[in-house]
Each structure stands twice: as structure tokens, then as C-alpha cells.
């Protein structure tokens, strides 16, 4: 979950490292640090807290050194502090690391017994000492890294420099993402694409077991035994401007407003406007494999899990095939029953979510067909599954997911349409009508944002001082209640809970009083009357109701304290519409409460460790 960056080339390294860390800060902001070589001497600068503290510690330092590494941390082993910040140094070696070394305690005891002194509480410092020890035995930096890796159990993306090897950076990955950017007489190593977009779009996605040696003019990738591995660069289509705020106060607000274009990008070219047919070649799965599926399991975490819950409603309705939705972190620990006629779908914005990757590997090992829905081309999950449906949300920098979520929902509509057609369970007229509605949706969302987004800020001002919220929904909108509550929790630190509206009377109703705002998803669908009953139960107990209603529905609006109206669209697409006011509500409440919207405490964008 931490961010790593390395540079070797012709330019001064420090500005490149700081710029890369700024673009990676969404991966962790407990502390930050850099190391660079200047006139043959290794310099290390670190600071607790956000990147601004490191910049202050550097004090405008201007270095002519053209090689360096940097790190922004999300704490796992050891509290956030300067001594636990990366890079970690042992003798002549400095190391940065993303991941968890599971056997660090016995290794640390071994090294302490040899007389080595540790200055941090982290597992990463183990790696620095192992490499330094190997170099003391006469090994070069590359061989010393291999010797250290042979002792490690766990996950890592590790990048290393040494004073005795002043023109190279070495790196390796196992279980954590790492990429190499290829420039003109320079190379970049990073944990994610946005860190290097302003310098190059030619990127190599490393595989587990890869070991990299990079200098200004040379790049070598080998396996753990030193055998060469061929890794071709791919060209990233994202532009550097896509990873900038573009005049918005926060990335999250920008990304909310980017949803219409992101949806266009996700759907475009994948559905026939004439027939509504999905071009299933995009999935990379043979039609026969789709027809043979007897059960679908969706595995995901967090917001992506909520998308999966919506996907269950969509796919079961459109394709009439049973769908289970699993929290990926639990999936493989219960010895799931899965076989050759199962289709297991993993959803991950980054394509690097460790738990989702583990679930897909478990399913594939048991013979299932696997499909990935993810946003990052070349990511590990995309490479390791039988088929992939890439969303085209573009880089999402805000930690709280917005546009990636709606694009995941659009992708699940595509999967439902494809499965329904291939299995002969979807009426062509219904498929065409849904496809037409999906084509129209981005314009409807854009028009709503232009017309109604400011009104949500007024609602936020009315309720921002409350400390507890309840979100209610039924059917396909129940997962949106979960997502709305999660957004509020993530960025405003308000306790919020999403619940099926029909279950409210089985427990949560005990919490409702005049201090408990209740957000009710009350758009018109088959569960509409039941949701209105729940709304009235809240009102009977003096709860304040914020209702998301269909435009023109005076009945639901009249029963609520506050109503936010959204366009009357196909019920299967309503989750993509109704979630947007909930995103904005969470955003404006967080701003009013003074929270750090883009970098909420204790969270990181991509969870690449278990």
C-alpha cells in the first residue's frame, strides 16, 4: 500500500522523486523519505506525516545527483514516525519497501545475535541488513539482493541503492505491484503509473519473481536465479493531465464530475447501437465458456464489493444464473466449492488488490474460469485471469472511490447483457432497451451534475454536525445504501451504517431519534411501496429523512425532510445515478467538518497487502 519511486538517468533526481511521491501520496501518507547519491556519498532525508513535512526538511535542497529512491508510507509494522520512515539504511545500503515480511522476527533475532543494531520497528530494515551483510561477504549489489530475497517470506516490492554501486538501482517484486518506466537515457521504478506519467508513458509491468537492474542506459530483468526474463513495454493511454486536479479543490470532486466521460469511455465500442449486443470478444472468453457456466461468484473488497452486490441483481435478472458475492479477503480461507463450470469474477480498481488477487488464484487453481473487471491495463489481476473487462475510468487519485465504482457498475451491465444473450435468457427487446438507456445515461448524469450538484451542498450544511447516519435501500439500491454509508465514513469520520430497508425493524430502528439522519433510497422501482413504509417508520420516531427520489415523485418527496431528485431512468441503471448525490453529500460534509477529503486518515488507495 506504500508508494515507491526510483530514478536513474541524466536529470537531478530529487525533484523527480518528490514529484513522484506527490503523485503516490494516495498510497500512504504516514511518513515520507528519499535517498540520493551526491558526489559518491549517500544522503537520506525522512519526515513523519505528509509529504510537505519532508519538503520542509529538505529546505529547498538542490542536488545534482542523478540517482535516488523515495517512499511514502502506510504503516503496517511500526507506528508512523521518522525513525520508521523509509528509506532504511544498513551500512552502505538503503532500501524502500512495500509489503509485509512475515518472517521478520526470526530474521531480526538472527541479525541482532550477530551484533547488528536496529533503529526502527519495521520489517523493512531486515532487508537492508541482509543485503549489507551479503555485500560484506563480497557480493555485488544485485547478487546481495538475491541472497536477501531467498531468506524472505511474505510480500514485497523492494528498491535498493548502495554507495558501492553509484550508477544502478536494483529492485524486485513478489506479491506487490512494481513497474518500470522506460525513458530516453533514464529509467523509473514505481509502485503505480501516475508517479511517472509526466516523464514517460512506456511502462513495463513486472511479474512476481522479477529482479531488475537499472542504470541510465541499461535495463536488465531476470528471475531469482539470474535467468533473463523478457518483458515488453506497453504504452499507457492516460495523459499526465488526467492525474491533475484541473481546477477542482479536491481530486474527489473532480472525479465525481468526471463520471459522465468515464462512463462513455467504458461503454463506447462495446455495445452495438443497432441491436444492443455486447461484443464479447472484449471479455477474452469463448462464448462456449460463458454458456457452460452454471454459477457465478463475484469476489471483491470495499467499494468494489458493493459493485459486486449490484452485479448480482443485474446478472441474475438478465442471464438467470445464480450469483454469489464474496468478500475477497474471506473467500479462499473457507475452502470454497468451485469447479470447471464456475465463473469467478474479480473486481478491483487497481488490479492489484491482494485479497482479490488471492481469491482469483484460488478459484483458478480449482479449475474455474476467471474474469477480471479492473481499471489499470497490465495490472496483475488483469494479466492472471482468463478474461478481462477493463473499465476506462482513468486514474483515480482520491482515496474514496467514485468514478471507478460507477464504471464497474457499467461493466457489470455489459457482463449481464453478454451472459443473457449467450445463454438465450434475455429478450432481445429488453436487451436493446437497456443498451439504449446505458448510452443515454452519461448525458443524464452530466445534466444532473450541472443542475443539481450545488443543492447537495445545501443539504450537507444542514446535517454536517450530526455524528451518526443510517442509510436504507432495497433490492438493487441496497448496495448503494452500503456505498453511501462507506463514503461518509471514509472521508468525514462519521459513524454511518447501510442497511436493507426491510431489516430496519429488526434492530436499527432502536437507534432512530431526532438526532439520527436517515438517508433513504426511495426511487421508483418494484420495491418502492415497501421503501415508503420504512421511510414512514423513521418519521414516526422523529428521525430526519434525506430521500433520494425520482423526479416528479411528490409523494416520496413530501414525506421526507429533504428530497434530492434524480432522473427517471431504467431501474437497472439507477444505482449509477443514485450513488452520485450520496458521493456529493459525503464530500461536502467532509469539507464542512475540515476533513482531508483526498487523503483520509488510516486509509490508502490500493490495498496491496493482506
Amino acid at each position: 500500500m506504500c508508494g515507491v519511486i526510483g530514478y536513474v538517468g541524466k536529470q537531478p533526481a530529487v525533484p523527480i522523486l518528490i514529484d513522484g511521491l506527490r503523485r503516490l501520496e494516495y498510497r500512504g501518507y504516514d511518513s515520507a523519505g528519499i535517498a540520493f547519491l551526491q558526489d559518491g556519498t549517500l544522503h537520506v532525508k525522512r519526515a513523519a506525516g505528509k509529504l510537505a513535512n519532508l519538503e520542509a526538511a529538505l529546505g529547498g535542497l538542490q542536488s545534482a545527483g542523478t540517482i535516488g529512491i523515495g517512499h511514502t508510507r502506510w504503516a503496517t509494522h511500526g507506528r508512523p514516525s521518522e525513525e520508521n520512515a523509509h528509506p532504511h539504511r544498513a551500512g552502505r545500503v538503503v532500501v524502500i519497501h512495500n509489503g509485509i515480511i512475515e518472517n521478520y522476527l526470526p530474521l531480526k533475532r538472527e541479525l541482532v545475535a550477530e551484533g547488528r543494531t536496529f533503529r526502527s520497528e519495521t520489517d523493512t530494515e531486515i532487508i537492508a541488513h541482509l543485503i549489507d551483510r551479503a555485500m560484506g561477504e563480497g557480493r555485488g549489489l544485485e547478487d546481495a539482493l538475491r541472497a536477501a530475497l531467498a531468506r524472505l517470506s511474505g510480500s514485497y516490492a523492494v528498491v535498493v541503492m548502495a554507495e558501492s554501486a553509484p550508477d544502478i538501482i536494483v529492485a524486485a517484486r513478489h506479491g506487490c505491484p512494481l513497474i518500470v518506466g522506460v525513458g530516453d537515457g533514464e529509467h523509473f521504478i514505481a509502485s503505480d503509473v501516475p508517479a511517472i506519467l509526466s516523464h514517460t508513458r512506456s511502462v513495463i509491468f513486472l511479474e512476481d519473481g522479477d529482479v531488475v537492474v537499472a542504470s541510465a542506459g541499461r535495463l536488465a530483468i531476470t528471475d531469482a536465479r539470474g535467468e533473463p526474463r523478457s518483458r515488453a513495454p506497453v504504452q499507457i493511454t492516460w495523459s499526465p493531465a488526467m492525474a491533475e486536479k484541473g481546477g477542482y479543490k479536491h481530486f474527489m470532486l473532480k472525479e465525481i464530475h468526471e463520471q459522465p466521460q468515464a462512463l462513455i469511455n467504458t461503454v463506447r465500442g462495446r455495445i452495438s447501437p443497432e441491436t444492443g449486443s455486447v461484443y464479447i470478444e472484449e471479455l477474452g472468453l469463448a462464448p462456449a465458456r460463458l454458456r457452460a457456466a452454471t454459477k457465478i461468484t463475484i469476489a471483491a473488497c470495499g467499494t468494489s464489493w458493493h459493485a459486486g452486490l449490484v452485479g448480482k441483481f443485474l446478472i441474475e435478472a438478465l442471464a438467470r444464473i445464480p450469483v454469489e458475492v464474496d468478500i475477497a479477503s474471506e473467500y479462499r480461507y473457507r475452502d470454497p466449492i468451485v469447479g470447471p463450470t464456475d465463473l469467478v469474477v474479480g473486481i478491483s480498481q487497481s488490479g492489484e488488490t491482494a485479497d482479490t488477487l488471492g481469491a482469483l488464484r484460488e478459484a483458478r487453481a480449482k479449475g474455474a474460469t476467471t474474469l477480471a473487471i479492473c481499471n489499470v491495463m497490465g495490472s496483475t489481476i488483469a494479466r492472471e485471469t482468463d478474461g478481462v473487462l477493463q473499465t476506462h475510468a482513468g486514474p483515480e487519485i482520491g482515496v474514496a472511490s467514485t468514478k471507478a465504482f460507477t464504471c464497474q457498475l457499467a461493466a457489470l451491465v455489459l457482463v449481464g447483457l453478454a451472459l443473457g444473450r449467450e445463454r438465450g435468457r434475455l429478450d432481445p427487446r429488453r436487451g436493446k432497451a437497456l443498451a439504449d438507456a446505458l448510452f443515454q445515461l452519461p448525458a443524464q448524469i452530466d445534466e444532473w451534475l450541472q443542475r443539481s450538484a450545488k443543492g447537495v451542498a445545501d443539504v450537507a450544511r444542514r446535517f454536517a454536525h450530526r455524528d451518526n447516519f443510517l442509510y436504507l435501500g432495497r433490492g438493487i439500491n441496497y448496495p448503494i445504501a452500503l456505498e453511501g454509508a462507506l463514503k461518509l465514513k471514509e472521508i468525514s469520520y462519521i459513524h454511518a451504517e447501510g442497511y436493507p430497508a426491510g431489516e430496519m425493524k429488526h434492530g436499527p430502528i432502536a437507534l432512530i431519534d431526532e438526532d439520527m439522519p436517515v438517508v433513504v433510497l426511495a426511487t421508483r422501482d418494484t420495491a418502492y411501496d415497501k421503501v415508503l413504509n420504512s421511510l414512514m417508520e423513521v418519521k414516526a420516531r422523529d428521525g430526519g429523512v434525506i430521500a433520494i427520489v425520482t423526479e416528479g415523485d411528490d409523494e416520496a418527496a413530501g414525506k421526507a425532510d429533504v428530497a434530492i431528485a434524480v432522473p427517471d431512468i431504467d431501474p437497472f441503471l439507477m444505482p449509477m445515478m443514485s450513488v452520485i448525490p450520496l458521493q456529493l453529500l459525503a464530500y461536502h460534509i467532509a469539507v464542512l467538518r475540515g476533513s482531508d477529503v483526498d487523503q483520509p486518515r488510516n486509509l490508502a488507495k490500493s490495498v496491496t497487502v493482506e
Side-chain angles (χ1 to χ4, degrees):
M1 292 165 69
C2 306
V4 301
I5 179 76
Y7 174 76
V8 56
K10 300 174 287 188
Q11 303 182 63
V14 171
I16 292 172
L17 297 176
I18 294 298
D19 179 66
L21 292 179
R22 185 174 295 110
R23 297 171 190 274
L24 287 173
E25 204 171 10
Y26 61 89
R27 295 183 66 94
Y29 29 88
D30 293 335
S31 59
I34 63 170
F36 58 93
L37 279 166
Q38 175 72 45
D39 299 325
T41 301
L42 196 58
H43 300 268
V44 178
K45 296 287 185 180
R46 307 184 300 182
K50 294 194 175 182
L51 184 61
N53 296 341
L54 174 62
E55 293 181 279
L58 288 169
L61 171 72
Q62 298 295 320
S63 168
T66 59
I67 182 172
I69 58 177
H71 188 274
T72 182
R73 183 172 186 247
W74 185 87
T76 51
H77 290 74
R79 70 192 188 282
S81 64
E82 181 177 347
E83 61 266 27
N84 289 331
H86 300 215
H88 288 287
R89 182 170 186 167
R92 70 198 87 182
V93 173
V94 286
V95 171
I96 56 177
H97 165 231
N98 175 30
I100 295 176
I101 305 305
E102 295 170 355
N103 62 335
Y104 86 101
L105 283 175
L107 288 173
K108 185 173 184 177
R109 286 192 292 267
E110 173 188 319
L111 290 161
V112 169
E114 294 176 3
R116 288 186 169 265
T117 300
F118 284 78
R119 296 178 174 81
S120 76
E121 304 166 310
T122 71
D123 54 343
T124 301
E125 194 177 354
I126 296 292
I127 305 173
H129 281 282
L130 289 173
I131 295 172
D132 183 64
R133 182 176 70 178
M135 294 187 73
E137 297 168 352
R139 298 174 187 260
L141 180 58
E142 180 182 355
D143 287 342
L145 173 61
R146 293 183 200 281
L149 297 180
R151 300 294 310 280
L152 303 181
S153 297
S155 59
Y156 52 78
V158 60
V159 188
V160 188
M161 286 172 47
E163 279 184 344
S164 58
D167 59 348
I168 65 169
I169 292 174
V170 297
R173 73 154 278 177
H174 177 77
C176 290
L178 200 63
I179 63 171
V180 176
V182 180
D184 182 11
E186 57 187 1
H187 289 101
F188 307 82
I189 297 174
S191 49
D192 209 349
V193 172
I196 62 174
L197 267 182
S198 58
H199 303 284
T200 181
R201 295 194 209 175
S202 182
V203 171
I204 297 171
F205 290 88
L206 299 176
E207 304 274 2
D208 280 356
D210 283 353
V211 176
V212 175
V213 180
S215 66
R218 175 177 173 267
L219 179 71
I221 302 175
T222 59
D223 63 15
R225 299 183 304 276
E227 296 296 323
R229 282 185 166 178
S230 178
R231 298 280 182 258
V234 298
Q235 296 301 309
I236 301 299
T237 58
W238 296 349
S239 70
M242 293 173 73
E244 301 289 347
K245 289 182 182 176
Y248 287 90
K249 185 177 181 181
H250 297 99
F251 278 112
M252 182 179 178
L253 185 60
K254 171 178 179 271
E255 288 156 6
I256 289 171
H257 282 267
E258 285 177 338
Q259 287 176 107
Q261 186 59 52
L263 286 169
I264 290 171
N265 294 342
T266 295
V267 174
R268 183 167 46 199
R270 290 172 164 169
I271 304 181
S272 166
E274 291 77 24
T275 66
S277 298
V278 175
Y279 298 116
I280 59 172
E281 298 81 10
E282 175 76 14
L283 301 180
L285 297 176
R289 296 182 81 171
L290 296 179
R291 290 192 293 270
T294 58
K295 186 184 73 175
I296 294 174
T297 298
I298 298 173
C301 301
T303 285
S304 296
W305 180 66
H306 298 158
L309 292 173
V310 175
K312 173 182 172 68
F313 285 94
L314 291 167
I315 295 169
E316 288 190 341
L318 295 171
R320 304 309 299 163
I321 182 171
V323 179
E324 295 181 0
V325 185
D326 261 273
I327 295 174
S329 58
E330 296 292 327
Y331 179 76
R332 69 187 187 277
Y333 295 108
R334 62 175 175 82
D335 191 17
I337 301 171
V338 61
T341 61
D342 287 80
L343 174 63
V344 178
V345 181
I347 307 176
S348 167
Q349 186 280 137
S350 65
E352 302 291 350
T353 308
D355 292 313
T356 306
L357 179 59
L360 288 166
R361 286 172 172 168
E362 174 78 6
R364 202 172 190 192
K366 292 189 171 188
T369 298
T370 55
L371 172 67
I373 295 175
C374 67
N375 187 42
V376 179
M377 179 178 64
S379 61
T380 304
I381 287 174
R383 294 196 306 271
E384 292 197 10
T385 47
D386 298 302
V388 59
L389 183 56
Q390 185 184 349
T391 59
H392 291 287
E396 188 178 67
I397 307 302
V399 167
S401 182
T402 53
K403 64 178 181 175
F405 175 70
T406 50
C407 288
Q408 287 168 354
L409 297 184
L412 286 162
V413 173
L414 297 178
V415 171
L417 287 169
L419 284 167
R421 287 292 182 95
E422 283 303 314
R423 293 170 59 82
R425 304 304 297 268
L426 178 62
D427 181 275
R429 290 171 297 179
R430 172 63 180 131
K432 176 67 165 60
L434 185 58
D436 288 344
L438 186 58
F439 280 125
Q440 296 166 15
L441 182 61
Q444 292 172 305
I445 292 175
D446 186 58
E447 191 274 335
W448 184 89
L449 283 166
Q450 300 300 322
R451 170 172 49 87
S452 302
K454 289 183 179 179
V456 181
D458 296 331
V459 178
R461 279 188 284 273
R462 182 170 172 179
F463 292 95
H465 63 287
R466 305 295 180 89
D467 293 322
N468 297 281
F469 274 69
L470 183 64
Y471 287 68
L472 301 176
R474 285 194 83 141
I476 200 169
N477 281 313
Y478 158 54
I480 303 307
L482 295 176
E483 176 63 12
L486 178 62
K487 285 290 147 299
L488 192 66
K489 281 184 282 193
E490 284 180 316
I491 61 173
S492 72
Y493 318 137
I494 291 172
H495 172 255
E497 187 172 1
Y499 230 81
E503 288 293 295
M504 181 187 64
K505 63 179 71 69
H506 296 286
I509 198 167
L511 299 171
I512 293 173
D513 59 19
E514 64 276 6
D515 294 321
M516 172 72 84
V518 181
V519 180
V520 181
L521 289 148
T523 53
R524 285 197 176 275
D525 57 22
T526 56
Y528 174 75
D529 290 337
K530 299 296 185 183
V531 172
L532 285 193
N533 289 341
S534 299
L535 189 159
M536 294 309 298
E537 289 170 351
V538 173
K539 290 300 298 175
R541 288 154 181 84
D542 298 323
V545 173
I546 304 168
I548 309 300
V549 304
T550 305
E551 287 177 351
D553 181 5
D554 295 332
E555 183 179 7
K559 289 176 167 57
D561 294 88
V562 176
I564 301 173
V566 296
D568 186 5
I569 61 176
D570 190 300
F572 282 11
L573 305 183
M574 184 57 79
M576 283 181 267
M577 183 71 247
S578 60
V579 75
I580 294 174
L582 303 189
Q583 294 169 348
L584 285 167
L585 181 66
Y587 169 80
H588 287 296
I589 288 176
V591 170
L592 289 165
R593 290 171 71 101
S595 300
D596 190 334
V597 172
D598 286 334
Q599 298 173 358
R601 68 188 181 205
N602 301 333
L603 294 177
K605 181 67 177 174
S606 179
V607 184
T608 58
V609 296
E610 287 195 68

